[in-house]
Amino acid sequence: MTTTTTSPVLTATGVTMRFGGLTAVRSVNLEVHPGEIVGLIGPNGAGKTTFFNCLTGLYVPTEGSVAYRGTVLPPKPHLVTQAGIARTFQNIRLFANMTVLENVLVGRHTRTKEGLWSALLRGPGFKRAEAASKTRAMELLEFIGLADKADHLSRNLPYGEQRKLEIARALASDPGLLLLDEPTAGMNPQETRATEELVFAIRDLGTAVLVIEHDMRFIFNLCDRVAVLVQGEKLIEGTSDVVQSDERVVAAYLGTPFEGAPGAEEAAEVEAAEAGATTGATPDEAQRGTTARTEDGQ
Amino acid sequence: MTTDKTQPTAVSEAQGGATAPRTTLLRVLTAAGGAAAVASTFLAWTWTAEFPGDLTVYGYPGGLQLLTLVLGIATGVFALAALDLKGLRWLTPSGSTQALRMLALGTFAVTWFTVISIAVDLDGLVNLEPGGWIAAVVTAVPVATTFLLPDDSRQLRRPKELPSWAEILIIAAVFALGLYVVNYGIQTDADHPEPFIGYLIAVGFAAVALVKAGLVSRISELTSAYRSTTLVAALITAIVFPFFQDKSSFTELGVNIAIFATVALGLNIVVGLAGLLDLGYVAFLGVGAYTAALVSGSTASTLDVRFPFWAAVITGGVVSLIFGVVIGAPTLRLRGDYLAIVTLGFGEIFRLAMLNLDGTSGPSVTNGPDGIPNIPPLEIFGFNFNDDHSFAGLSLDSNGNYYLLMLLVTILVVLIFSRAGNSRIGRAWVAIREDETAATAMGINGFRVKLIAFALGATLAGVAGAVWAHFQSTVVPEQYVFAGPVPPNSTFLVAAVILGGMGTIGGPLLGATLLYLIPKKLEFLQDYQLLAFGIALILLMRFRPEGIVPNRRQQLEYHETGQLDVPGATGLKDGAVGVTKAEA
């Protein structure tokens, strides 16, 4: 919220993605500034991951453009990564049968140049570059706390560590912007808090972060700004407080109350039912139980 | 209930070392059975020398009896090791019973195979001498006793510290033994299949026994500790091979094995590392061979040029490279099975094109089905490859010359494979194979990297093809088919890679050796060769999908043992939990 007026790391302008007749993302604009953590939330199917795929070149947006530090990116995943945007995936996509260290080394791909010839001839330059890559990869593993498992196959890591490793692999390309797609999905509260710390640490290293997440506490603790995507359109963008108090957001997640059915009446009904349940629960429930059973029998 | 009782005893034995008297008795009986099997080989098993190998002599084992002899000795020695005899404990680092079972079964199988083939070949059991009956009975004893023994499989026992010269000597001995075993197989009588089948049975059981006993893992620990020594030993073994052959047909076998192993290793870059299924790889071999033949100065060649050998090889490689890029560039942009289909088509198109470029159906380039014969013999620095040469009293015939030349190419390909595989580009290949979407998201240009793998594979095949053309001194289109009983064909090459083990160096070399040698020795199967080949592949895929020489990664992929991949790592439980969690 208190970003300086430096040029944004990421500028998405009017990004639209259509699959045939279905418009998954409709002219979304989004900016991420250096040193910012921006959250992207929305109900399932709102188009968050599709938007991510448009940003990283996995999809070619039907309309609109994506620019990194002012340069428009070609819609090719490897060129986007080369430019400085790295990502993780919603469902973990590690190279399962490579070791932890090798996974991170693959992440270094864009920042090293050694081709086939230098690999075959093994000159001093090759050895130096390989050693430098290894050092950097080990640093990253140290950073996320997996250095002692460098030689394990990544498929043998526990779930939480696989998530971490995916982040380390993305960081290996020295990105200016890191896109995290549901980094805490399936994590327990402790792991979620650890991930939170990790994201802050990444921000402190100077990498802007754009994160999709369903865990609202995580998002509102973490993000400087939050954008809400509903049915492919950006509903609102602002600080945690603004977004949290916006009733359209609440409506998008929980649905709107019925027309002409004021909340007070319903609340009273619920209260009455609860009171009834606590006092005369036994006969009531027993009866309901038998009817259910007979119904089953029939 | 009984199983409940025996199980704890087995465990406590393995831990405490105190052995139940019954187990000791069974082991003694096994040892005795092995000794009896050995003794039986000194008797005559049949009365006539009509059966291949001389099994008629008292006091001297011969032919297939030798296999029973060796396996019988091994059974006895391993049984003594199981009895904890001092000085033999190193034989069974990871338990003796399973190894003993395999050895006993091997002895039994070889002996019974011999006895039954005597009866079948010579029409009737009457052809068996008492020695044969005795052998058949006594080899059954260890089988019975070993299957009554409790299983004592255990974690690999830490080996005793040995001085490094001793460990190097062990490596040398292993390679010498390996050379002897391979030599024995190659030199079996080609006119009679029995000795070779017996050899296959014996080697198969013995190999499994060595794995079960833990000796193989012990040796692979040694070889990875002394990498350069191992490489030198392997090199020396390969170089001395032709000097041990007394028939030129054996050396010819060696050359062909070297060529096909090299081509399979080249294909392993494409299939094993980059995960691109190439079903027309043999066409690249053909492109190299035809190119080299055309520029070799052969009288039948339509080009009136004569390149020196090195230039012909480079031309073969370059033309193959161009074909690789032309085929790969449009198809490698696609994912999945398209490449397999296109390469399959290319393989057939190549063969048909070579058949038709004969001057009548098309331009006159290849002489059609006649091919290009009379490729002049190689001569490098005045060293004529078709003459016999002798160095320091050892003589080398024409095939031997080509063998050594081919060995050079093999070494080159091994070097390229290991260096490229263990580098930035090699990691990119494996990443693409594992998950192409994630790999491109990591900044890997999938198309470019795949094209490099494909073109590199094509080039290596082209180089091997150029050498092969000179060795054969003729090229014809019918050598380059998709599937057929005679190597090389694309199925053969893919099978060699998969059989041996994808992504490894040793795998395709071993796979190609087996796939070439076995059909060559079992020519009596004739039309059933392809059937046998298919059945063998199905069985292999069922029981060992990762190939004979497994890649560490694939071993873990196919056999989820819950074991960590890092030897000596603590926290085995952690890892096991991690696996189940990750899979959930």
Side-chain angles (χ1 to χ4, degrees):
Chain A
M1 58 198 202
T2 49
T3 43
T4 48
T5 49
T6 49
S7 70
V9 190
L10 176 84
T11 324
T13 343
V15 170
T16 301
M17 185 73 216
R18 287 196 199 92
F19 297 105
L22 175 82
T23 310
V25 177
R26 196 190 303 273
S27 58
V28 173
N29 298 317
L30 187 73
E31 280 189 359
V32 180
H33 296 274
E36 243 187 343
I37 301 177
V38 178
L40 188 61
I41 61 172
N44 285 324
K48 303 181 297 291
T49 299
T50 309
F51 181 60
F52 256 35
N53 286 346
C54 291
L55 294 184
T56 51
L58 280 178
Y59 291 160
V60 183
T62 324
E63 284 164 31
S65 68
V66 180
Y68 177 77
R69 291 191 202 280
T71 340
V72 174
L73 294 173
K76 284 263 178 355
H78 65 271
L79 296 178
V80 171
T81 311
Q82 173 100 49
I85 299 180
R87 72 169 292 175
T88 65
F89 291 89
Q90 187 176 353
N91 42 349
I92 303 176
R93 300 190 83 150
L94 287 169
F95 305 122
N97 293 312
M98 296 177 92
T99 66
V100 168
L101 181 66
E102 281 172 331
N103 265 280
V104 183
L105 283 173
V106 170
R108 290 293 300 163
H109 191 87
T110 51
R111 300 294 170 248
T112 42
K113 296 220 155 22
E114 286 62 45
L116 181 63
W117 285 115
S118 74
L120 294 184
L121 300 175
R122 298 261 148 147
F126 175 85
K127 286 181 184 142
R128 221 177 300 124
E130 199 78 340
S133 290
K134 285 223 169 89
T135 319
R136 174 79 183 124
M138 283 313 289
E139 271 171 30
L140 283 168
L141 288 178
E142 204 81 56
F143 175 68
I144 57 156
L146 281 178
D148 54 330
K149 295 200 170 175
D151 289 335
H152 291 216
L153 286 194
S154 67
R155 68 205 305 271
N156 288 352
L157 291 185
Y159 181 80
E161 293 185 351
Q162 294 198 359
R163 283 261 175 225
K164 280 190 195 169
L165 176 57
E166 230 197 350
I167 295 177
R169 186 181 68 175
L171 285 176
S173 63
D174 299 334
L177 173 67
L178 180 65
L179 308 183
L180 300 175
D181 198 344
E182 298 200 21
T184 69
M187 282 187 173
N188 64 32
Q190 285 82 12
E191 287 172 322
T192 307
R193 216 163 302 131
T195 310
E196 214 173 284
E197 294 303 316
L198 183 61
V199 176
F200 277 128
I202 291 167
R203 197 259 319 264
D204 293 342
L205 289 177
T207 306
V209 180
L210 177 60
V211 51
I212 294 179
E213 190 48 72
H214 280 301
D215 184 335
M216 290 304 151
R217 192 178 299 160
F218 174 80
I219 280 282
F220 293 130
N221 275 344
L222 195 68
C223 300
D224 301 317
R225 255 183 321 126
V226 177
V228 184
L229 219 58
V230 176
Q231 297 195 338
E233 281 176 280
K234 193 168 83 176
L235 199 66
I236 183 177
E237 183 185 336
T239 62
S240 309
D241 300 335
V242 173
V243 170
Q244 258 172 311
S245 54
D246 190 287
E247 58 187 27
R248 287 176 300 167
V249 177
V250 179
Y253 269 95
L254 300 178
T256 46
F258 290 118
E259 292 276 331
E265 254 177 53
E266 281 183 347
E269 236 173 69
V270 171
E271 253 169 47
E274 272 176 358
T278 43
T279 52
T282 351
D284 236 48
E285 268 188 6
Q287 205 178 3
R288 219 175 292 145
T290 45
T291 42
R293 228 167 282 141
T294 45
E295 267 169 20
D296 272 1
Q298 286 159 1
Chain B
M1 211 45 216
T2 39
T3 45
D4 275 4
K5 266 188 174 172
T6 49
Q7 214 55 12
T9 27
V11 172
S12 66
E13 270 167 29
Q15 284 167 352
T19 320
R22 178 172 169 273
T23 313
T24 314
L25 179 67
L26 284 172
R27 284 176 177 158
V28 171
L29 280 177
T30 313
V38 170
S40 74
T41 61
F42 288 88
L43 305 171
W45 290 8
T46 180
W47 60 276
T48 165
E50 252 174 66
F51 189 76
D54 204 356
L55 309 189
T56 59
V57 194
Y58 280 91
Y60 192 75
L64 283 164
Q65 286 177 329
L66 281 173
L67 297 171
T68 304
L69 174 75
V70 171
L71 284 174
I73 291 176
T75 312
V77 171
F78 271 80
L80 291 179
L83 286 167
D84 261 348
L85 202 71
K86 260 207 158 359
L88 286 177
R89 294 187 52 177
W90 58 272
L91 275 173
T92 56
S94 67
S96 59
T97 301
Q98 297 214 12
L100 269 177
R101 281 178 193 165
M102 281 301 138
L103 286 171
L105 270 180
T107 321
F108 177 77
V110 165
T111 311
W112 278 67
F113 167 75
T114 313
V115 169
I116 291 171
S117 24
I118 289 173
V120 172
D121 285 5
L122 306 178
D123 288 327
L125 292 170
V126 73
N127 296 298
L128 286 173
E129 289 278 309
W133 293 105
I134 292 170
V137 173
V138 296
T139 51
V141 175
V143 177
T145 54
T146 50
F147 275 87
L148 289 172
L149 273 174
D151 193 358
D152 63 345
S153 299
R154 54 178 172 245
Q155 287 268 240
L156 208 61
R157 198 157 50 194
R158 284 284 116 203
K160 224 190 298 174
E161 286 292 321
L162 285 174
S164 57
W165 58 264
E167 298 193 320
I168 289 172
L169 269 185
I170 291 174
I171 294 176
V174 167
F175 273 96
L177 184 71
L179 178 65
Y180 181 80
V181 171
V182 172
N183 243 348
Y184 189 93
I186 286 181
Q187 298 190 350
T188 51
D189 196 344
D191 302 329
H192 302 280
E194 290 89 354
F196 188 74
I197 295 176
Y199 165 83
L200 275 186
I201 297 173
V203 170
F205 278 105
V208 177
L210 291 184
V211 171
K212 295 282 186 204
L215 279 179
V216 171
S217 12
R218 177 87 181 86
I219 285 162
S220 61
E221 264 171 42
L222 276 184
T223 51
S224 57
Y226 295 92
R227 273 187 65 91
S228 45
T229 315
T230 309
L231 288 179
V232 171
L235 196 61
I236 292 175
T237 314
I239 289 175
V240 298
F241 168 80
F243 297 104
F244 279 87
Q245 309 307 322
D246 45 10
K247 269 196 210 166
S248 80
S249 64
F250 298 149
T251 337
E252 191 187 339
L253 262 179
V255 187
N256 281 319
I257 286 175
I259 286 173
F260 299 133
T262 310
V263 180
L265 191 54
L267 179 62
N268 199 17
I269 294 179
V270 184
V271 175
L273 290 184
L276 308 166
L277 184 53
D278 185 344
L279 293 179
Y281 195 64
V282 80
F284 295 114
L285 183 76
V287 170
Y290 260 97
T291 313
L294 284 173
V295 301
S296 66
S298 152
T299 45
S301 165
T302 46
L303 297 181
D304 195 18
V305 288
R306 179 164 189 164
F307 283 20
F309 173 67
W310 59 267
V313 167
I314 290 176
T315 320
V318 169
V319 174
S320 257
L321 168 73
I322 293 168
F323 271 91
V325 172
V326 167
I327 300 299
T331 40
L332 288 173
R333 292 181 191 279
L334 304 165
R335 292 189 188 184
D337 305 327
Y338 298 100
L339 184 76
I341 296 164
V342 170
T343 49
L344 178 65
F346 172 64
E348 286 304 290
I349 291 168
F350 171 78
R351 183 174 60 87
L352 293 173
M354 292 306 110
L355 265 177
N356 286 303
L357 293 176
D358 56 357
T360 45
S361 339
S364 170
V365 183
T366 62
N367 301 329
D370 296 338
I372 304 171
N374 302 328
I375 298 172
L378 276 185
E379 205 174 310
I380 302 176
F381 303 125
F383 184 96
N384 189 314
F385 274 68
N386 277 27
D387 293 346
D388 290 3
H389 296 269
S390 59
F391 309 98
L394 293 164
S395 69
L396 203 57
D397 60 1
S398 145
N399 287 327
N401 297 329
Y402 280 104
Y403 174 84
L404 291 182
L405 175 70
M406 202 50 227
L407 197 60
L408 265 183
V409 181
T410 312
I411 293 167
L412 179 80
V413 176
V414 167
L415 214 63
I416 288 176
F417 185 92
S418 70
R419 291 195 156 186
N422 182 22
S423 73
R424 173 175 173 266
I425 189 109
R427 285 191 297 267
W429 286 336
V430 178
I432 293 263
R433 187 192 69 197
E434 293 284 315
D435 186 336
E436 189 162 350
T437 307
T440 51
M442 289 307 116
I444 294 169
N445 185 343
F447 169 66
R448 194 185 136 88
V449 167
K450 283 194 285 183
L451 189 60
I452 291 176
F454 196 69
L456 179 63
T459 313
L460 295 180
V463 168
V467 179
W468 197 47
H470 281 91
F471 167 62
Q472 295 250 305
S473 82
T474 173
V475 287
V476 287
E478 291 309 320
Q479 285 167 329
Y480 309 100
V481 291
F482 170 66
V486 191
N489 52 69
S490 298
T491 322
F492 167 89
L493 293 172
V494 174
V497 170
I498 293 172
L499 171 87
M502 284 197 284
T504 59
I505 292 177
L509 300 183
L510 184 64
T513 309
L514 290 179
L515 283 185
Y516 188 78
L517 193 59
I518 293 174
K520 257 286 180 273
K521 289 288 178 185
L522 300 182
E523 273 173 346
F524 74 98
L525 281 174
Q526 290 170 359
D527 295 345
Y528 296 106
Q529 269 194 5
L530 277 178
L531 178 71
F533 179 59
I535 291 173
L537 280 190
I538 291 171
L539 289 180
L540 188 84
M541 286 300 106
R542 170 64 188 80
F543 293 106
R544 205 171 163 84
E546 74 273 26
I548 300 172
V549 183
N551 190 335
R552 185 170 54 100
R553 294 179 180 129
Q554 254 131 24
Q555 176 94 66
L556 287 161
E557 194 175 335
Y558 290 112
H559 299 283
E560 204 62 77
T561 53
Q563 255 180 328
L564 281 184
D565 48 310
V566 188
T570 49
L572 199 85
K573 269 190 179 158
D574 269 4
V577 171
V579 170
T580 39
K581 255 197 210 163
E583 301 232 314

